[in-house]
């Protein structure tokens, strides 16, 4: 590594903030300010503004400090949103693992997985006919004959079966809608309706196309979703988009949902097809083909011919009643063909990526390549048993890889980066389950490594409703974008309801009765308050997750007109840049020595270094190597 050739001064400087002299050296190249289109609000203009660094190597200690200044990584590319300028301010969010209190929904996710492993999960069980306890002699006391009692009893039994089936099917469709919404397939800012599956009456089936007598249940949820989205679009600024231009038509929505319900596709007793925007459930004996001229109408009338032995089972992928073996394996980040195959399937089926866009090269660059210098276990309380660095956490059920969490394990935290999973197992909510497991992992390992206390969930964007699930892991904290202090989410939330960019720590100080001297001028604060931000935003990832790749963007470091604020605040906050550590042709020297020998004052490089020092902080600027080649 480059650390072996470092001069004594750099060696002292680079190790001064580390607890271990063998943790290596951080070497970065400055990419400067980057402007690009936004993956959250879907802006096509260059409204997303961030500062970028390319990390040739980075120690776990330095990356931990960068996280605590609002940075994240995508492969070896490090980026930090310029919060006062970007369209969708992104706040780093974290949780102290030992303080975590799971919600009822999170508890249900854990219990659902446990029942699945035990072989007792509800979606695995047959929906069997059962006696209606409400039917008794007293309830039928006014009946004129025993025959009437028997008829009422049979009708109640049939209604009970029908209710169970329609409730079960509605729940499965709802789960899939939630999954698609969380993964960004539906607009995140739209509250979608709940699904309702109803029984198609026998009279209606007789009026439909030949073969429709095998149609048992149907849902028009795709029409409701499409109407809800259209209504939201009519309110938004892009209301001019016509229905024909809208890619989420009822027909497309129904086809996507039907295709995604893999766990019901081969059930005993039902088969699922989309037909002209309706999601139809047929008896397995005969599947009618889609007919462009057919129209499925719902009937509220219960059929008296419903079979008492009707049952719902998952496909053979999930055999009923069998106890399963769930393994969670932690391995160092490296290329694994099985993981790539799962990632490719996930991106194509869940995110609708074109197959030729999901390449091994892009996968390696995004989720395998890492600049983090690995730290091996030290046998003491400074390092957990697995060590520090970049890892892939595999979830394996009965030998089958079903999910992979990409994480960084650092001195103070587990930082969650990305999750991809088998679409066949969407009903288990793998994103939520993996987050719960990662929180549990931190709690367990804090015992052996007391500094490791936090779970970092990436960025939180308040204007994007799909990102708000991160705040459900309570009690969470947001990072103040100016003073880099952690603020309880409950304090930050009402502030972010009013304005997307807030200096959160100012309000905490005011609440505590303390005075605070702003670090920026009143004019600058006025400019920030006048900025308009698009709140109709949408995240590109599910769990999860933040930017998938280094954005293809234009460098804007020469935008002198828009940079006047930066120069002013740099002079106030950081002073000179003399002590910044420079890497040049394998040597390490301070900028003051480089300037004395080679560089005239007031150079372009010095302007770059001022900005660099502002975004990484004084301590890191003097410890990390700023590479000039």
């Amino acid at each position: 590594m480059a650390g072996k050739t470092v001069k004594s001064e750099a060696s002292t400087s680079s190790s001064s903030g580390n607890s271990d002299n063998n943790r290596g050296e951080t070497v970065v190249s400055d990419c400067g300010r980057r402007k690009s289109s936004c993956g959250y609000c879907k802006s096509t203009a260059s409204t997303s503004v961030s500062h970028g660094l390319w990390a040739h190597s980075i120690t776990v200690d330095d990356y931990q400090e960068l996280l605590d200044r609002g940075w994240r990584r995508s492969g070896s590319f490090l980026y930090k949103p310029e919060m006062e300028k970007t369209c969708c301010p992104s706040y780093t969010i974290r949780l102290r693992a030992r303080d975590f209190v799971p919600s009822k929904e999170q508890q249900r996710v854990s219990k659902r997985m446990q029942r699945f492993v035990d072989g007792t999960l509800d979606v695995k069980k047959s929906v069997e006919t059962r006696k209606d306890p409400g039917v008794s002699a007293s309830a039928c006391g006014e009946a004129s004959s025993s025959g009437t009692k028997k008829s009422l009893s049979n009708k109640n039994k049939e209604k009970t079966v029908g209710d169970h089936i329609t409730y079960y099917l509605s729940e499965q469709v709802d789960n899939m809608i939630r999954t698609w919404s969380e993964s960004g397939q539906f607009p995140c800012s739209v509250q979608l309706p709940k699904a309702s599956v109803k029984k198609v009456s026998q009279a209606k089936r007789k009026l439909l196309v030949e073969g429709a007598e095998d149609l048992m249940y149907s849902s028009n949820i795709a029409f409701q979703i499409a109407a809800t989205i259209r209504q939201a679009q009519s309110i938004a600024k892009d209301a001019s988009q016509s229905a024909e231009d809208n890619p989420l038509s009822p027909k497309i929505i129904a086809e996507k949902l039907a295709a995604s319900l893999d766990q019901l596709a081969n059930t005993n007793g039902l088969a699922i097809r989309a037909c002209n925007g309706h999601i139809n459930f047929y008896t397995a004996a005969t599947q009618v083909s889609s007919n462009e001229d057919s129209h499925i109408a719902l009937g509220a009338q219960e059929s008296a011919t419903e079979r008492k032995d009707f049952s719902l089972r998952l496909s053979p992928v999930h055999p009923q009643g069998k106890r399963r073996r769930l393994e969670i394996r932690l391995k160092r980040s490296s290329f694994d063909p099985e993981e790539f195959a799962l990632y490719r399937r996930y991106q194509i089926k869940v995110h609708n990526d074109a197959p030729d866009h999901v390449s091994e090269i892009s996968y390696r660059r995004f989720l395998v390549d890492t600049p983090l210098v690995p730290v091996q276990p030290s046998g003491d309380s400074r390092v957990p048993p697995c060590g520090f660095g970049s890892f892939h956490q595999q979830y394996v059920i009965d030998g089958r890889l079903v999910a992979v969490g990409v994480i960084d394990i650092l001195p103070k935290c587990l930082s969650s980066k990305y999750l991809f999973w088998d679409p066949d197992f969407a009903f288990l909510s793998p994103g939520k389950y993996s987050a719960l497991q990662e929180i549990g992992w931190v709690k367990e390992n804090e015992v052996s490594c007391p500094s490791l206390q936090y779970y970092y969930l990436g960025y939180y964007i308040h204007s994007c409703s799909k990102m708000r699930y991160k705040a459900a892991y309570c009690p969470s904290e947001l990072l103040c974008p100016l003073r880099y202090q952690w603020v309880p989410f409950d304090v930050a939330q009402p502030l972010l309801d009013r304005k997307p960019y807030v200096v959160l720590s100012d309000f905490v100080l005011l609440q505590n009765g303390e005075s605070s001297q702003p670090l920026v001028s009143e004019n600058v604060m006025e400019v920030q308050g006048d900025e308009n931000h698009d709140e109709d935003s949408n995240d590109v990832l599910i769990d999860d997750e933040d930017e998938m790749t280094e954005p293809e963007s234009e460098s804007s470091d020469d935008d002198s007109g828009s940079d006047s604020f930066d120069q002013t605040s740099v002079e106030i906050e950081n002073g000179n840049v003399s002590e910044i550590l420079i890497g040049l042709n394998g040597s390490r020297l301070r900028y003051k020595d480089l300037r004395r020998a080679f560089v005239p004052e007031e150079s372009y490089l010095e302007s770059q270094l001022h900005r660099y020092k502002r975004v990484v902080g004084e301590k890191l600027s003097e410890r990390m190597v700023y590479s000039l080649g």
Side-chain angles (χ1 to χ4, degrees), residues 476-478 486-493 508:
S476 57
E477 302 174 300
L478 298 183
W486 293 97
V487 176
F489 179 80
D490 291 342
V491 174
Q493 182 178 15
V508 175

Side-chain angles (χ1 to χ4, degrees), residues 24-313:
E25 176 187 55
T26 297
V27 181
V28 298
S29 295
D30 192 1
C31 301
R33 174 179 292 162
R34 315 291 289 177
K35 290 185 177 182
S36 67
S37 58
C38 182
Y40 299 110
C41 64
K42 304 301 182 185
S43 168
T44 55
S46 297
T47 57
S48 178
V49 185
S50 63
H51 196 105
L53 298 174
W54 185 265
H56 304 279
S57 65
I58 187 168
T59 68
V60 293
D61 301 276
D62 290 345
Y63 186 54
Q64 177 69 69
E65 290 197 32
L66 285 173
L67 282 184
D68 291 336
R69 289 185 64 88
W71 289 81
R72 293 282 288 170
R73 77 174 183 90
S74 176
S76 295
F77 182 73
L78 310 178
Y79 57 98
K80 170 182 166 56
E82 294 201 8
M83 298 284 280
E84 73 280 4
K85 296 180 180 294
T86 193
C87 56
C88 296
S90 307
Y91 297 82
T92 301
I93 183 170
R94 76 176 186 182
L95 163 77
R96 188 190 295 268
R98 66 170 176 263
D99 295 337
F100 173 59
V101 180
S103 66
K104 290 183 179 179
E105 169 61 23
Q106 290 159 354
Q107 292 175 13
R108 281 194 291 268
V109 169
S110 293
K111 291 177 181 177
R112 188 186 306 142
M113 176 63 82
Q114 187 58 55
R115 292 198 303 272
F116 179 72
V117 172
D118 292 340
T120 60
L121 184 63
D122 287 346
V123 296
K124 309 283 299 151
K125 289 182 178 180
S126 297
V127 180
E128 299 175 350
T129 303
R130 58 177 179 146
K131 294 181 180 179
D132 188 345
V135 179
S136 62
S138 60
C140 302
E142 297 182 4
S144 59
S145 66
S146 59
T148 304
K149 292 180 182 180
K150 185 176 181 180
S151 175
L152 288 172
S153 177
N154 288 338
K155 187 172 294 186
N156 280 325
K157 287 182 180 180
E158 291 163 0
K159 189 176 187 301
T160 299
V161 173
D163 289 345
H164 276 295
I165 295 169
T166 55
Y167 175 81
Y168 168 78
L169 294 176
S170 299
E171 187 179 56
Q172 298 310 302
V173 176
D174 263 339
N175 287 341
M176 190 54 61
I177 291 172
R178 261 197 313 273
T179 299
W180 280 91
S181 183
E182 289 175 356
S183 63
Q185 303 306 308
F186 297 139
C188 67
S189 58
V190 178
Q191 184 66 39
L192 298 177
K194 290 183 70 66
S196 176
V197 176
K198 297 183 179 180
K199 183 172 176 58
V200 180
S201 68
Q202 193 170 11
K204 284 289 184 184
R205 292 201 298 270
K206 288 180 179 179
L207 296 175
L208 300 177
V209 297
E210 184 178 357
E213 64 272 8
D214 297 299
L215 173 63
M216 299 296 294
Y217 305 93
S218 185
S219 174
N220 67 351
I221 184 61
F223 289 90
Q224 298 176 47
I225 292 174
T228 302
I229 294 174
R230 279 198 303 271
Q231 184 178 10
Q233 288 174 339
S234 68
I235 298 173
K237 63 182 181 182
D238 55 346
S240 60
Q241 183 181 23
S242 66
E244 290 75 13
D245 294 332
N246 180 11
L248 294 176
S249 67
K251 183 177 179 180
I252 291 176
I253 293 173
E255 290 172 352
K256 287 160 67 79
L257 289 173
S260 298
L261 289 166
D262 289 338
Q263 65 267 35
L264 293 177
N266 297 313
T267 55
N268 179 19
L270 283 184
I272 303 173
R273 295 291 297 274
C275 183
N276 286 345
H278 294 268
I279 302 173
N280 294 336
F281 301 83
Y282 301 90
T283 55
T286 306
Q287 279 192 56
V288 299
S289 59
S290 298
N291 190 313
E292 293 298 323
D293 298 324
S294 64
H295 177 74
I296 307 304
L298 299 179
Q301 189 176 3
E302 292 288 338
S303 171
T305 62
E306 183 158 356
R307 301 181 307 173
K308 296 180 181 180
D309 62 344
F310 183 87
S311 64
L312 292 175
R313 296 189 182 91

Side-chain angles (χ1 to χ4, degrees), residues 584 589 592-600:
L584 181 63
L589 67 162
K592 61 185 178 183
D593 299 322
L594 178 67
R595 183 173 58 189
R596 189 180 304 120
F598 303 107
V599 183

